[in-house]
Amino acid sequence: MQQKNDNDQIIAQAIDVLKIEAEGINGLIPRVDERFARMVELICASRGRLVISGIGKSGIVGQKIAATLNSTGTRAIFLHPVEAMHGDLGMVSSRDVFLGISNSGETEELNHLIPTIRELGCKIIAFTGNEASRLARMSDIIINVGVAREACPLGLAPTASTTAVLAMGDALAVALINKKQFKASDFQKYHPGGVLGQRLASNVSEIMLSGDAVPFVNENTSLEEALAVLDRQRLGAVIAVKGKNILSGILTDGDIRRLVIRKTPLSGVSLSKVMTRDPLYVVPQDPVYTALNIMEQHQITVLPVTDETKILRGILHLHDILGKGAFSFNGK
Protein backbone atom coordinates (compact mmCIF):
# COMPACT_ATOMS: atom_id res chain seq x y z
CA MET A 1 0.00 0.00 0.00
CA GLN A 2 2.86 2.36 0.86
CA GLN A 3 4.46 1.71 -2.54
CA LYS A 4 1.19 2.60 -4.30
CA ASN A 5 0.90 5.82 -2.32
CA ASP A 6 4.48 6.71 -3.19
CA ASN A 7 3.84 6.04 -6.88
CA ASP A 8 0.65 8.10 -6.82
CA GLN A 9 2.56 11.00 -5.27
CA ILE A 10 5.33 10.78 -7.87
CA ILE A 11 2.80 10.76 -10.70
CA ALA A 12 0.89 13.70 -9.22
CA GLN A 13 4.09 15.72 -8.83
CA ALA A 14 5.14 15.04 -12.41
CA ILE A 15 1.70 16.09 -13.68
CA ASP A 16 1.93 19.30 -11.65
CA VAL A 17 5.28 20.10 -13.26
CA LEU A 18 3.87 19.64 -16.74
CA LYS A 19 0.85 21.80 -15.90
CA ILE A 20 3.03 24.60 -14.53
CA GLU A 21 5.29 24.53 -17.58
CA ALA A 22 2.29 24.47 -19.92
CA GLU A 23 0.85 27.48 -18.06
CA GLY A 24 4.16 29.28 -18.54
CA ILE A 25 4.12 28.72 -22.29
CA ASN A 26 0.44 29.68 -22.59
CA GLY A 27 1.26 32.88 -20.72
CA LEU A 28 3.58 33.89 -23.58
CA ILE A 29 0.81 33.93 -26.18
CA PRO A 30 -0.55 37.44 -25.38
CA ARG A 31 3.00 38.79 -25.54
CA VAL A 32 3.60 37.73 -29.14
CA ASP A 33 2.88 41.18 -30.49
CA GLU A 34 4.35 43.95 -32.62
CA ARG A 35 7.68 43.63 -30.82
CA PHE A 36 7.94 39.98 -31.88
CA ALA A 37 7.20 40.98 -35.48
CA ARG A 38 9.87 43.70 -35.32
CA MET A 39 12.36 41.14 -34.04
CA VAL A 40 11.67 38.83 -36.98
CA GLU A 41 12.01 41.71 -39.45
CA LEU A 42 15.26 42.85 -37.83
CA ILE A 43 16.83 39.39 -38.02
CA CYS A 44 15.66 38.88 -41.61
CA ALA A 45 17.10 42.22 -42.69
CA SER A 46 20.47 41.54 -41.07
CA ARG A 47 23.38 40.73 -43.36
CA GLY A 48 25.18 39.04 -40.50
CA ARG A 49 24.27 36.43 -37.92
CA LEU A 50 22.13 36.24 -34.82
CA VAL A 51 24.55 36.15 -31.89
CA ILE A 52 22.92 34.50 -28.87
CA SER A 53 24.33 34.81 -25.38
CA GLY A 54 23.46 33.77 -21.84
CA ILE A 55 24.84 32.19 -18.68
CA GLY A 56 23.97 28.89 -17.02
CA LYS A 57 20.66 27.29 -18.02
CA SER A 58 19.86 30.32 -20.17
CA GLY A 59 23.09 29.73 -22.05
CA ILE A 60 22.25 26.07 -22.63
CA VAL A 61 18.83 27.04 -24.00
CA GLY A 62 20.52 29.70 -26.13
CA GLN A 63 22.76 27.05 -27.68
CA LYS A 64 19.71 24.98 -28.58
CA ILE A 65 18.00 27.99 -30.18
CA ALA A 66 21.14 28.72 -32.20
CA ALA A 67 21.26 25.09 -33.39
CA THR A 68 17.61 25.18 -34.46
CA LEU A 69 18.08 28.43 -36.35
CA ASN A 70 21.18 27.18 -38.16
CA SER A 71 19.39 24.06 -39.36
CA THR A 72 16.45 26.07 -40.68
CA GLY A 73 18.17 28.76 -42.68
CA THR A 74 19.06 31.50 -40.17
CA ARG A 75 22.76 31.85 -39.41
CA ALA A 76 23.35 31.95 -35.67
CA ILE A 77 26.17 31.47 -33.16
CA PHE A 78 26.28 31.12 -29.39
CA LEU A 79 28.64 33.50 -27.59
CA HIS A 80 29.50 32.81 -23.96
CA PRO A 81 29.59 36.18 -22.15
CA VAL A 82 32.75 35.40 -20.18
CA GLU A 83 34.64 33.96 -23.16
CA ALA A 84 33.52 36.98 -25.17
CA MET A 85 35.43 39.29 -22.85
CA HIS A 86 38.53 37.15 -23.32
CA GLY A 87 38.80 37.17 -27.10
CA ASP A 88 35.66 35.54 -28.51
CA LEU A 89 34.16 38.98 -29.08
CA GLY A 90 36.15 38.95 -32.31
CA MET A 91 33.43 36.72 -33.77
CA VAL A 92 30.92 39.60 -33.64
CA SER A 93 30.55 42.26 -36.35
CA SER A 94 28.38 45.33 -36.83
CA ARG A 95 26.21 43.37 -39.28
CA ASP A 96 25.11 40.96 -36.54
CA VAL A 97 22.06 41.10 -34.28
CA PHE A 98 22.59 40.26 -30.61
CA LEU A 99 20.11 38.27 -28.49
CA GLY A 100 20.72 38.26 -24.74
CA ILE A 101 18.87 35.72 -22.58
CA SER A 102 18.37 36.31 -18.87
CA ASN A 103 15.22 35.63 -16.87
CA SER A 104 16.07 38.23 -14.25
CA GLY A 105 17.70 40.60 -16.71
CA GLU A 106 20.35 41.28 -14.07
CA THR A 107 22.95 38.68 -15.01
CA GLU A 108 26.16 40.58 -14.38
CA GLU A 109 28.35 38.77 -16.90
CA LEU A 110 25.82 39.31 -19.71
CA ASN A 111 25.05 42.92 -18.85
CA HIS A 112 28.76 43.73 -18.65
CA LEU A 113 29.05 42.59 -22.28
CA ILE A 114 26.14 44.63 -23.69
CA PRO A 115 27.84 48.09 -23.90
CA THR A 116 30.67 46.59 -25.95
CA ILE A 117 28.18 44.88 -28.24
CA ARG A 118 26.44 48.24 -28.66
CA GLU A 119 29.75 49.92 -29.55
CA LEU A 120 30.27 47.34 -32.29
CA GLY A 121 27.05 48.56 -33.91
CA CYS A 122 24.77 45.58 -33.20
CA LYS A 123 21.06 45.88 -32.53
CA ILE A 124 20.16 44.17 -29.25
CA ILE A 125 17.21 41.92 -28.40
CA ALA A 126 16.43 40.76 -24.88
CA PHE A 127 14.63 37.57 -23.87
CA THR A 128 13.87 38.39 -20.25
CA GLY A 129 11.20 38.00 -17.61
CA ASN A 130 11.86 41.47 -16.20
CA GLU A 131 11.08 44.42 -18.47
CA ALA A 132 12.41 46.84 -15.85
CA SER A 133 15.79 45.12 -15.71
CA ARG A 134 19.12 46.52 -16.78
CA LEU A 135 19.23 44.14 -19.74
CA ALA A 136 15.82 45.36 -20.89
CA ARG A 137 16.84 49.01 -20.58
CA MET A 138 19.89 48.44 -22.75
CA SER A 139 17.98 46.56 -25.49
CA ASP A 140 16.28 47.74 -28.67
CA ILE A 141 13.58 45.05 -28.55
CA ILE A 142 12.31 43.36 -25.38
CA ILE A 143 10.56 39.98 -25.55
CA ASN A 144 8.96 39.17 -22.21
CA VAL A 145 9.45 35.46 -21.51
CA GLY A 146 8.63 35.62 -17.81
CA VAL A 147 6.54 32.96 -16.06
CA ALA A 148 4.30 33.20 -13.01
CA ARG A 149 6.15 30.44 -11.13
CA GLU A 150 8.83 27.81 -11.51
CA ALA A 151 7.98 24.12 -11.42
CA CYS A 152 10.78 23.57 -8.92
CA PRO A 153 9.10 23.30 -5.47
CA LEU A 154 11.89 25.41 -3.98
CA GLY A 155 11.45 28.06 -6.64
CA LEU A 156 15.18 27.97 -7.25
CA ALA A 157 16.02 25.75 -10.23
CA PRO A 158 15.08 27.28 -13.61
CA THR A 159 12.34 25.00 -14.95
CA ALA A 160 9.23 26.68 -16.33
CA SER A 161 11.27 29.78 -17.15
CA THR A 162 13.77 27.92 -19.35
CA THR A 163 10.95 26.00 -21.02
CA ALA A 164 9.29 29.32 -21.86
CA VAL A 165 12.50 30.68 -23.40
CA LEU A 166 12.92 27.49 -25.43
CA ALA A 167 9.33 27.75 -26.70
CA MET A 168 9.80 31.41 -27.66
CA GLY A 169 12.98 30.43 -29.50
CA ASP A 170 11.04 27.81 -31.45
CA ALA A 171 8.36 30.40 -32.25
CA LEU A 172 11.11 32.67 -33.59
CA ALA A 173 12.61 29.87 -35.68
CA VAL A 174 9.27 28.95 -37.25
CA ALA A 175 8.42 32.58 -37.96
CA LEU A 176 11.77 32.96 -39.71
CA ILE A 177 11.19 29.76 -41.71
CA ASN A 178 7.95 31.22 -43.05
CA LYS A 179 9.36 34.71 -43.56
CA LYS A 180 12.33 33.39 -45.52
CA GLN A 181 10.18 30.80 -47.35
CA PHE A 182 12.56 28.05 -46.23
CA LYS A 183 11.70 24.87 -48.16
CA ALA A 184 12.39 21.16 -47.98
CA SER A 185 15.07 21.61 -50.65
CA ASP A 186 16.81 24.10 -48.35
CA PHE A 187 16.53 21.60 -45.50
CA GLN A 188 18.39 19.09 -47.64
CA LYS A 189 21.24 21.55 -48.15
CA TYR A 190 21.73 21.89 -44.40
CA HIS A 191 21.33 18.16 -43.68
CA PRO A 192 23.31 16.45 -46.46
CA GLY A 193 24.57 13.65 -44.23
CA GLY A 194 21.28 12.56 -42.71
CA VAL A 195 19.02 9.80 -43.97
CA LEU A 196 16.27 12.30 -44.75
CA GLY A 197 18.75 14.57 -46.53
CA GLN A 198 20.00 11.71 -48.67
CA ARG A 199 16.46 10.67 -49.53
CA LEU A 200 15.47 14.22 -50.49
CA ALA A 201 18.53 14.49 -52.74
CA SER A 202 17.62 11.34 -54.69
CA ASN A 203 15.43 11.25 -57.80
CA VAL A 204 11.73 10.40 -57.75
CA SER A 205 12.45 7.30 -59.85
CA GLU A 206 14.47 5.81 -56.99
CA ILE A 207 11.61 5.68 -54.48
CA MET A 208 8.37 5.83 -56.49
CA LEU A 209 6.01 2.87 -56.76
CA SER A 210 5.53 1.41 -60.22
CA GLY A 211 3.97 -1.52 -62.06
CA ASP A 212 1.22 -3.39 -60.22
CA ALA A 213 1.69 -1.20 -57.16
CA VAL A 214 0.18 1.81 -58.97
CA PRO A 215 -3.58 2.22 -58.42
CA PHE A 216 -4.92 3.37 -61.78
CA VAL A 217 -8.00 2.83 -63.94
CA ASN A 218 -9.44 4.27 -67.13
CA GLU A 219 -11.24 7.55 -66.57
CA ASN A 220 -14.50 6.02 -67.87
CA THR A 221 -14.44 3.27 -65.26
CA SER A 222 -17.38 3.26 -62.88
CA LEU A 223 -16.85 5.01 -59.59
CA GLU A 224 -17.58 1.76 -57.73
CA GLU A 225 -14.74 -0.03 -59.53
CA ALA A 226 -12.38 2.90 -58.98
CA LEU A 227 -13.19 2.85 -55.25
CA ALA A 228 -12.44 -0.87 -55.13
CA VAL A 229 -8.98 -0.21 -56.58
CA LEU A 230 -8.44 2.70 -54.19
CA ASP A 231 -9.37 0.47 -51.24
CA ARG A 232 -7.28 -2.47 -52.43
CA GLN A 233 -4.07 -0.53 -53.02
CA ARG A 234 -4.37 1.54 -49.81
CA LEU A 235 -2.43 4.57 -51.03
CA GLY A 236 -5.22 7.06 -50.47
CA ALA A 237 -5.75 7.73 -54.17
CA VAL A 238 -6.62 6.17 -57.51
CA ILE A 239 -5.23 7.66 -60.72
CA ALA A 240 -7.36 8.07 -63.86
CA VAL A 241 -5.82 7.59 -67.30
CA LYS A 242 -7.05 7.85 -70.89
CA GLY A 243 -5.81 6.50 -74.22
CA LYS A 244 -2.41 4.88 -73.81
CA ASN A 245 -2.17 5.45 -70.06
CA ILE A 246 -2.04 9.24 -70.31
CA LEU A 247 -2.70 10.96 -66.97
CA SER A 248 -6.11 12.61 -66.91
CA GLY A 249 -7.21 12.82 -63.28
CA ILE A 250 -7.04 11.61 -59.69
CA LEU A 251 -9.48 10.70 -56.94
CA THR A 252 -8.33 10.75 -53.31
CA ASP A 253 -9.77 9.75 -49.96
CA GLY A 254 -10.31 13.45 -49.30
CA ASP A 255 -12.30 13.81 -52.52
CA ILE A 256 -14.59 10.97 -51.41
CA ARG A 257 -15.20 12.62 -48.04
CA ARG A 258 -16.10 15.89 -49.73
CA LEU A 259 -18.47 14.11 -52.13
CA VAL A 260 -20.22 12.43 -49.20
CA ILE A 261 -20.52 15.70 -47.30
CA ARG A 262 -22.08 17.35 -50.37
CA LYS A 263 -24.40 14.32 -50.72
CA THR A 264 -23.23 13.74 -54.28
CA PRO A 265 -24.69 10.50 -55.76
CA LEU A 266 -21.91 7.88 -55.87
CA SER A 267 -23.63 5.05 -57.70
CA GLY A 268 -24.12 4.77 -61.43
CA VAL A 269 -21.54 7.44 -62.28
CA SER A 270 -18.15 7.17 -63.95
CA LEU A 271 -14.91 8.23 -62.36
CA SER A 272 -14.55 11.03 -64.93
CA LYS A 273 -17.57 12.81 -63.43
CA VAL A 274 -16.12 13.21 -59.95
CA MET A 275 -12.31 13.06 -60.29
CA THR A 276 -9.95 16.03 -60.14
CA ARG A 277 -8.81 16.69 -63.70
CA ASP A 278 -5.25 17.58 -64.71
CA PRO A 279 -3.71 16.87 -61.30
CA LEU A 280 -0.27 17.92 -60.20
CA TYR A 281 2.47 15.45 -61.08
CA VAL A 282 6.23 14.94 -61.16
CA VAL A 283 8.56 13.18 -63.58
CA PRO A 284 11.00 10.41 -62.61
CA GLN A 285 14.03 12.69 -63.02
CA ASP A 286 12.73 15.27 -60.53
CA PRO A 287 14.57 15.48 -57.19
CA VAL A 288 12.49 14.13 -54.33
CA TYR A 289 12.68 17.49 -52.57
CA THR A 290 10.79 19.02 -55.52
CA ALA A 291 7.97 16.54 -54.94
CA LEU A 292 7.99 17.25 -51.21
CA ASN A 293 7.78 21.00 -51.85
CA ILE A 294 4.73 20.44 -54.08
CA MET A 295 3.08 18.27 -51.44
CA GLU A 296 3.76 20.83 -48.74
CA GLN A 297 2.55 23.79 -50.80
CA HIS A 298 -0.70 22.12 -51.85
CA GLN A 299 -1.22 20.03 -48.69
CA ILE A 300 -1.39 16.70 -50.51
CA THR A 301 0.25 13.34 -49.84
CA VAL A 302 0.18 11.63 -53.25
CA LEU A 303 1.61 12.60 -56.65
CA PRO A 304 1.34 10.72 -59.97
CA VAL A 305 4.64 10.23 -61.77
CA THR A 306 4.63 10.56 -65.56
CA ASP A 307 7.13 10.91 -68.36
CA GLU A 308 7.44 14.08 -70.43
CA THR A 309 4.41 13.09 -72.53
CA LYS A 310 2.26 12.57 -69.39
CA ILE A 311 2.20 8.78 -69.73
CA LEU A 312 1.79 7.32 -66.25
CA ARG A 313 4.96 5.73 -64.90
CA GLY A 314 4.31 5.47 -61.18
CA ILE A 315 3.03 7.07 -58.01
CA LEU A 316 4.81 8.80 -55.13
CA HIS A 317 3.41 8.88 -51.59
CA LEU A 318 4.62 11.05 -48.73
CA HIS A 319 5.35 7.87 -46.76
CA ASP A 320 7.81 6.78 -49.43
CA ILE A 321 9.64 10.10 -49.07
CA LEU A 322 9.80 9.73 -45.30
CA GLY A 323 10.90 6.14 -45.55
CA LYS A 324 8.02 4.29 -43.86
CA GLY A 325 9.91 3.94 -40.60
CA ALA A 326 13.39 3.72 -42.15
CA PHE A 327 14.40 6.52 -39.82
CA SER A 328 12.93 8.62 -37.01
CA PHE A 329 13.15 12.32 -36.39
CA ASN A 330 14.77 11.87 -32.96
CA GLY A 331 17.90 10.57 -34.67
CA LYS A 332 17.64 6.99 -33.37
Side-chain angles (χ1 to χ4, degrees), residues 5-313:
N5 290 338
D6 289 345
N7 289 346
D8 289 344
Q9 184 177 8
I10 290 170
I11 293 170
Q13 289 171 343
I15 291 173
D16 284 343
V17 170
L18 295 176
K19 286 181 177 178
I20 291 170
E21 301 216 355
E23 289 170 3
I25 293 176
N26 285 331
L28 300 181
I29 295 174
R31 304 177 205 157
V32 180
D33 52 18
E34 182 269 341
R35 293 185 298 184
F36 185 93
R38 282 200 294 124
M39 171 178 63
V40 172
E41 295 289 350
L42 176 63
I43 295 171
C44 278
S46 169
R47 293 182 297 165
R49 299 169 296 184
L50 181 63
V51 179
I52 303 174
S53 189
I55 286 283
K57 305 299 186 297
S58 294
I60 294 171
V61 172
Q63 292 178 60
K64 189 274 176 187
I65 294 173
T68 299
L69 291 169
N70 277 317
S71 69
T72 53
T74 298
R75 293 189 300 152
I77 60 169
F78 177 78
L79 179 68
H80 193 287
V82 176
E83 297 298 333
M85 301 306 292
H86 292 273
D88 282 2
L89 198 58
M91 294 188 294
V92 183
S93 77
S94 60
R95 297 176 299 177
D96 297 328
V97 175
F98 184 86
L99 169 59
I101 303 175
S102 170
N103 186 43
S104 68
E106 300 296 345
T107 304
E108 188 61 32
E109 297 91 341
L110 179 60
N111 288 343
H112 185 63
L113 175 64
I114 300 297
T116 305
I117 294 293
R118 176 72 71 188
E119 288 179 6
L120 290 174
C122 299
K123 293 292 184 180
I124 299 170
I125 302 166
F127 274 16
T128 181
N130 182 3
E131 295 197 38
S133 65
R134 184 181 171 200
L135 173 62
R137 293 196 301 271
M138 291 189 292
S139 299
D140 299 293
I141 300 175
I142 305 165
I143 305 298
N144 190 334
V145 291
V147 296
R149 52 178 175 155
E150 297 284 9
C152 170
L154 302 177
L156 299 175
T159 46
S161 59
T162 49
T163 301
V165 173
L166 188 61
M168 190 63 82
D170 286 342
L172 172 61
V174 172
L176 288 167
I177 286 173
N178 293 326
K179 180 70 176 177
K180 295 183 175 185
Q181 298 182 330
F182 189 84
K183 299 183 183 300
S185 55
D186 301 311
F187 180 91
Q188 190 275 329
K189 294 175 186 176
Y190 294 113
H191 299 76
V195 176
L196 178 57
Q198 294 170 10
R199 188 176 293 272
L200 290 173
S202 63
N203 290 335
V204 168
S205 60
E206 297 178 50
I207 65 171
M208 72 182 191
L209 300 175
S210 58
D212 293 339
V214 182
F216 74 98
V217 294
N218 187 276
E219 64 178 3
N220 295 319
T221 298
S222 68
L223 179 58
E224 289 90 342
E225 185 178 343
L227 291 178
V229 173
L230 186 152
D231 181 64
R232 184 169 62 250
Q233 300 292 71
R234 297 185 179 279
L235 288 176
V238 60
I239 300 171
V241 297
K242 61 184 178 181
K244 296 182 178 180
N245 288 348
I246 296 175
L247 175 67
S248 62
I250 192 169
L251 185 73
T252 67
D253 286 340
D255 293 330
I256 299 300
R257 288 194 299 272
R258 286 183 282 274
L259 290 171
V260 171
I261 291 172
R262 293 197 296 265
K263 298 181 180 180
T264 303
L266 300 181
S267 61
V269 298
S270 71
L271 175 60
S272 62
K273 298 295 183 183
V274 294
M275 70 183 186
T276 299
R277 291 189 174 275
D278 299 318
L280 297 166
Y281 64 93
V282 289
V283 298
Q285 296 77 27
D286 280 338
V288 172
Y289 60 73
T290 296
L292 184 57
N293 282 337
I294 293 173
M295 290 178 177
E296 179 184 9
Q297 181 181 354
H298 296 277
Q299 298 184 1
I300 56 179
T301 59
V302 177
L303 279 172
V305 183
T306 77
D307 62 16
E308 290 76 4
T309 60
K310 295 192 68 174
I311 293 178
L312 185 65
R313 297 301 183 192

